[in-house]
Amino acid sequence: MLTKRLAACAALVTEGGVVCDVGTDHAYLPAELLRQNRCPRAVVTDIHAGPLEAARRTLTETGVLARAELLLCDGLEQVLPEGITDVVVAGMGGETIVHILENCPWRAQVHLILQPMTKLPVLRQWLAKNGFDWTEQVVSEGGKFYVVLDVRSAAAPQPLTLLEQEVGRIDWQEPCASAYASWKLKRFQKLAQQLKQAGVPEYSLWESLVEETAAKLGRNPR
Ligand SMILES: C[S@@+](CC[C@H](N)C(=O)[O-])C[C@H]1O[C@@H](n2cnc3c(N)ncnc32)[C@H](O)[C@@H]1O
């Protein structure tokens, strides 16, 4: 059984499609998709040999190794795009995800499912600048929030607002996303206060973010 974080990523993969899981580690996500016959085939990559061996073990134990291709490489470097419908990049920093996408010439041809652990604003800025559109969902597990981005090449990309850059393109009515936004609001309030006390002029930017986030949540910003 997948963790809530990986289950949220898996649920977005195209039914009957071919998934490529980048930085697969134990290959839990592709193994489950193959086991359920949600995908007929999967490609898995990892930059390190140890995790790729762990992936081989999981796929063998699940009885789906014959339907998987394992590649030791940086990101999607050695992956042939033919047939691939969905690329999942989960459990890595936002900057690493940007690096992986930057080096993939066919990134706009597939459905991207991205689950960054850090530097989310960096990833969102890059996606907006490079012609992608997306929605985000939030799951909570073990007292932590995880954000999953459902990304496609955009017909007409939308400009990224500061609120979207810092909180995300979330459904503000959804309870977990709303709890995440409340948590972000507290962080913005603290940061604005610290910057103001230190005399850093950018504090006003964070104050406006506090106002906007609070307004979206229907709260008092103070
Ligand atoms: C924390 S694990 C995440 C595993 C799984 N994707 C998940 O979300 O549970 C990160 C994995 O990404 C791999 N990794 C890091 N940078 C990578 C890159 N540039 N290309 C491919 N794999 C990478 C690491 O070796 C590690 O196995």
Side-chain angles (χ1 to χ4, degrees):
M1 194 162 108
L2 295 175
T3 60
K4 262 168 100 175
R5 176 181 67 82
L6 285 178
C9 296
L12 294 172
V13 172
T14 311
E15 181 93 41
V18 174
V19 67
C20 175
D21 186 34
V22 180
T24 195
D25 199 355
H26 284 80
Y28 293 135
L29 176 141
E32 186 61 12
L33 289 170
L34 291 168
R35 189 187 68 79
Q36 292 176 2
N37 281 319
R38 291 255 329 271
C39 293
R41 187 166 77 80
V43 179
V44 308
T45 87
D46 207 287
I47 201 166
H48 294 119
L52 208 61
E53 271 320 300
R56 188 179 298 280
R57 271 198 306 278
T58 304
L59 293 162
T60 305
E61 284 162 13
T62 314
V64 296
L65 184 66
R67 291 193 279 140
E69 183 184 358
L70 288 82
L71 298 168
L72 181 64
C73 65
D74 182 355
L76 292 147
E77 239 173 28
Q78 288 177 30
V79 179
L80 297 174
E82 282 71 35
I84 291 178
T85 54
D86 301 69
V87 169
V88 180
V89 194
M92 274 174 257
E95 285 169 333
T96 304
I97 298 177
V98 166
H99 159 79
I100 289 167
L101 296 176
E102 284 252 309
N103 291 306
C104 177
W106 45 272
R107 62 196 179 215
Q109 297 165 26
V110 287
H111 176 210
L112 301 170
I113 298 155
L114 310 176
Q115 191 277 299
M117 303 300 267
T118 59
K119 303 277 170 87
L120 278 75
V122 173
L123 176 61
R124 292 182 184 118
Q125 275 178 339
W126 186 91
L127 290 171
K129 218 171 115 188
N130 286 274
F132 290 94
D133 212 348
W134 70 94
T135 56
E136 301 185 29
Q137 49 179 277
V138 184
V139 294
S140 139
E141 192 167 52
K144 276 190 180 171
F145 291 111
Y146 298 98
V147 179
V148 180
L149 285 78
D150 183 355
V151 184
R152 290 179 197 273
S153 177
Q158 302 294 312
L160 189 69
T161 66
L162 184 63
L163 189 65
E164 287 174 335
Q165 178 187 299
E166 296 299 325
V167 183
R169 290 183 175 167
I170 56 169
D171 172 2
W172 290 78
Q173 307 306 317
E174 195 281 318
C176 193
S178 167
Y180 171 70
S182 301
W183 174 73
K184 293 292 286 183
L185 173 62
K186 284 200 193 102
R187 289 172 63 115
F188 298 154
Q189 283 166 327
K190 199 171 162 190
L191 189 60
Q193 198 182 21
Q194 283 171 343
L195 292 175
K196 194 171 184 176
Q197 275 167 1
V200 178
E202 281 76 28
Y203 83 87
S204 58
L205 202 71
W206 294 94
E207 272 192 351
S208 66
L209 204 49
V210 166
E211 302 273 344
E212 274 192 74
T213 310
K216 279 277 201 184
L217 289 165
R219 304 255 179 84
N220 188 322
R222 309 281 155 230

